[in-house]
Amino acid sequence: MHDHEWLPLIPIVRGEGPWLVSADGARYFDGVSSWWVNLFGHAHPRISAAVAQQAHTLEHVILAGFTHPPAVDLAERLVELVGAPLTRVFYADSGSAAIEVALKMSFHYWRNVGLPRKQRFIVLEGAYHGETLGALSMTQVPLYRETYGALLLDPIVAPAPTGAFGVIDAGASQAAAAALGALLETHAESVAAVLLEPLVQCAAGMRMHDPAYLAQVRSLCDRYNVHLIADEIAVGFARTGTMFAHQQAGVMPDFLCVGKGLTGGYLPLSCVLTGEAVYAAFYDEYRTLKAFLHSHSYTGNPLACAAALASLDVFASEPVLARNAELGLVLDTALAALADHPHVRGIRRTGMIAAFDLVDAHGAPYAWQERRGLRVYQHALTEGALLRPLGNTVYFMPPYVASAEELRWLVAVAARGVERAVT
Ligand SMILES: *Cc1c(COP(=O)(O)O)cnc(C)c1O
């Protein structure tokens, strides 16, 4: 069977909170927040109004030699949220572009301060950082990377800090930190930065790790004079239970990349936050080789900034974190029903990300060619839910406006999908 027979395209014409409505009037609960971008549901009145108002005021202006209030306000709001010492904001337009910016800035910083040999990056096994060539070079998911291997940079790959089936495992985190320490001991002079996804390696299959790992990575980066780049494109903006994932380890990265949920899922916008030392190493009125030349046409687009500001206003006016904490417990309770299922392993949750893995009758992962997760996807559609497993990993990343009842139903849909997938 061809994929298009398995996977009919569903034309969506409207959105209402966590629900998508198709041309034929069918409703689908967006259980994956439309690839992790949507925070407060679709067509949110407050965010939609802010974008509309901005469109009537200023839709776009060049962000070189010119500036505009939404870009300035958003930078100030982000700096306030993230906290010292990340006081500088560089805008880009997609998550991948933010990763490119952080990689280039780290490399170029070391060059500007007289350490030009620091040119390589360390990433984690299973890392996902996007799919433009630089970002794809850092991505270690073979499905995305393998075909383009000949075009890519060659990062150093450190072991992932996660346990079997992606569960949090303090021993695994400890071992991974020790392995990273050994790699830095050997390579630090040629390494610009360690790049990682704090707390949850999402595209790898929602593989979760202990915040203690991040704290250890931070101290290793300090010891070996290497930057720490936190890719919070998927996990930022309250997804993991705190506004930013790195906060759970009580550490700060040197570069923080955010995207996806930054605009509440409305428009493409990303940014890289960094500190004064990096800013100062580039600041120069005349010598352009010292300056950071990286420009995207839509950098700091006012409509996107207005959406991001409105999304931050929702955070400021509603108890989002507290509500998410309650919804997280609802997910735990619902998922507990699957704990003894012979075809389910690794039930896990960090904030508003929950997942489990499908296994065969012997408890082993299915070969990816069997595409068991796809059957869960197909089943969920028949019940009006959008779940889009990653290989054998079935996961839930709902918009924050979901109700407890909707989440219980969503997990029950997935459980019925498991029965369809394993027989
Ligand atoms: C999605 C994602 C990216 C890439 O973002 P795009 O906007 O799709 O380019 C980078 N890193 C992580 C962790 C992501 O989940």
Side-chain angles (χ1 to χ4, degrees):
M1 221 190 276
H2 291 290
D3 269 1
H4 61 263
E5 295 168 49
W6 280 61
L7 298 170
L9 271 183
I10 300 171
I12 295 299
V13 294
R14 253 177 339 109
E16 284 172 6
W19 294 89
L20 297 163
V21 184
S22 69
D24 62 7
R27 287 160 60 83
Y28 299 91
F29 184 88
D30 191 350
V32 299
S33 296
S34 282
W35 263 342
W36 323 340
V37 301
N38 187 284
L39 302 185
F40 299 113
H42 298 278
H44 188 281
R46 184 167 194 165
I47 306 174
S48 298
V51 172
Q53 196 193 350
Q54 186 60 44
H56 288 295
T57 313
L58 175 69
E59 83 304 330
H60 188 66
V61 63
I62 180 175
L63 202 67
F66 287 78
T67 186
H68 58 82
V72 174
D73 291 351
L74 180 60
E76 287 175 358
R77 292 275 291 275
L78 288 171
V79 163
E80 195 182 311
L81 266 180
V82 172
L86 300 189
T87 48
R88 298 285 175 174
V89 177
F90 191 95
Y91 286 113
D93 52 11
S94 68
S96 300
I99 295 295
E100 303 285 346
V101 166
L103 298 174
K104 285 174 67 179
M105 249 189 216
S106 175
F107 164 87
H108 197 164
Y109 168 86
W110 294 117
R111 201 183 148 93
N112 280 355
V113 301
L115 292 171
R117 288 183 55 210
K118 290 168 105 44
Q119 305 181 348
R120 295 188 75 192
F121 300 95
I122 298 182
V123 297
L124 302 185
E125 193 194 310
Y128 182 90
H129 298 292
E131 292 168 56
T132 54
L133 289 178
L136 185 62
S137 297
M138 303 301 135
T139 290
Q140 298 301 313
V141 181
L143 176 67
Y144 305 115
R145 186 179 214 278
E146 247 160 32
T147 309
Y148 307 100
L151 299 179
L152 304 178
L153 302 170
D154 180 29
I156 297 164
V157 183
T162 196
F165 296 112
V167 300
I168 295 175
D169 178 330
S173 291
Q174 195 65 41
L180 178 64
L183 286 172
L184 283 167
E185 179 66 34
T186 312
H187 299 287
E189 279 181 22
S190 64
V191 171
V194 173
L195 165 64
L196 52 72
E197 298 155 83
L199 299 190
V200 188
Q201 292 185 281
C202 294
M206 303 301 161
R207 290 157 67 168
M208 301 180 181
H209 59 256
D210 192 339
Y213 174 75
L214 288 180
Q216 284 174 294
V217 175
R218 175 70 273 178
S219 62
L220 287 168
C221 288
D222 289 341
R223 182 175 338 146
Y224 289 102
N225 201 27
V226 161
H227 287 141
L228 174 57
I229 305 173
D231 175 352
E232 298 220 18
I233 291 160
V235 297
F237 300 103
R239 189 50 79 177
T240 65
T242 42
M243 199 60 185
F244 297 99
H246 66 266
Q247 293 168 337
Q248 292 183 40
V251 298
M252 294 298 282
D254 300 292
F255 298 92
L256 173 65
C257 301
V258 294
K260 287 198 168 113
L262 170 61
T263 62
Y266 266 66
L267 286 156
L269 181 69
S270 63
C271 64
V272 180
L273 284 90
T274 190
E276 293 303 317
V278 171
Y279 179 83
F282 287 99
Y283 190 81
D284 194 316
E285 300 275 347
Y286 304 108
R287 288 170 46 215
T288 52
L289 286 181
K290 193 179 161 198
F292 187 65
L293 300 182
H294 185 108
S295 44
H296 292 286
S297 306
Y298 283 97
T299 283
N301 174 261
L303 296 172
C305 291
L309 284 164
S311 179
L312 293 182
D313 285 343
V314 177
F315 278 107
S317 60
E318 294 176 18
V320 178
L321 286 167
R323 196 179 122 80
N324 283 0
E326 282 170 23
L327 292 174
L329 298 178
V330 170
L331 284 170
D332 286 347
T333 309
L335 283 165
L338 283 167
D340 298 324
H341 195 291
H343 288 283
V344 169
R345 291 283 187 288
I347 295 176
R348 55 197 180 273
R349 182 179 68 85
T350 297
M352 282 285 268
I353 305 173
F356 60 81
D357 278 37
L358 296 172
V359 294
D360 67 17
H362 310 288
Y366 290 106
W368 71 265
Q369 290 86 347
E370 293 192 39
R371 307 192 77 173
R372 299 282 177 150
L374 191 59
R375 300 193 203 174
V376 177
Y377 171 81
Q378 291 169 312
H379 173 77
L381 288 180
T382 67
E383 291 207 50
L386 166 49
L387 290 172
R388 204 184 156 94
L390 291 153
N392 288 321
T393 302
V394 178
Y395 73 89
F396 309 88
M397 227 206 246
Y400 305 158
V401 294
S403 70
E405 197 185 330
E406 285 165 337
L407 293 187
R408 281 191 282 266
W409 166 81
L410 187 66
V411 173
V413 169
R416 290 188 284 273
V418 169
E419 297 314 319
R420 296 274 287 266
V422 300
T423 48

